[in-house]
Amino acid sequence: ELLGERVARLEARLGYAHKGVLALVLGKSPRAAARFAARLAGEATVAHSIAFARATEAASECEVPPRAAAWRDIMVEVERISCHLDASATLA
């Protein structure tokens, strides 16, 4: 919680651990790996899905149609706004 420049209250959350995502994805088909990427974090399903798609496309040197790229941008922004609204609702 911030008041101006001074930190009024700080909640430290320690204990984050490495999930071993790479080891869990190795050996899976691209379709199964994409589903796994989408389930990494509920608040970032679209972002992780798009990141996986972009990595796969870069590795296979695949061109994405401009319309698809635009729809991805829209979807990730909607997800981002949704996360902000959820956080705002939690504060109220």
Side-chain angles (χ1 to χ4, degrees), residues 4-33:
E5 294 295 318
R6 195 180 118 178
V7 176
R9 184 181 58 139
L10 175 67
E11 242 180 76
R13 295 184 204 173
L14 303 176
Y16 289 104
H18 183 266
K19 292 181 181 181
V21 172
L22 180 60
L24 295 170
V25 172
L26 286 175
K28 291 189 187 293
S29 70
R31 184 176 299 233

Side-chain angles (χ1 to χ4, degrees), residues 30-73:
R31 184 176 299 233
R35 285 190 199 123
F36 182 80
R39 292 191 315 256
L40 283 174
E43 68 278 357
T45 297
V46 175
H48 286 144
S49 296
I50 291 173
F52 182 82
R54 285 181 178 163
T56 304
E57 291 155 1
S60 63
E61 298 177 354
C62 177
E63 281 284 324
V64 178
R67 186 171 180 223
W71 274 110
R72 287 178 179 178
D73 291 342

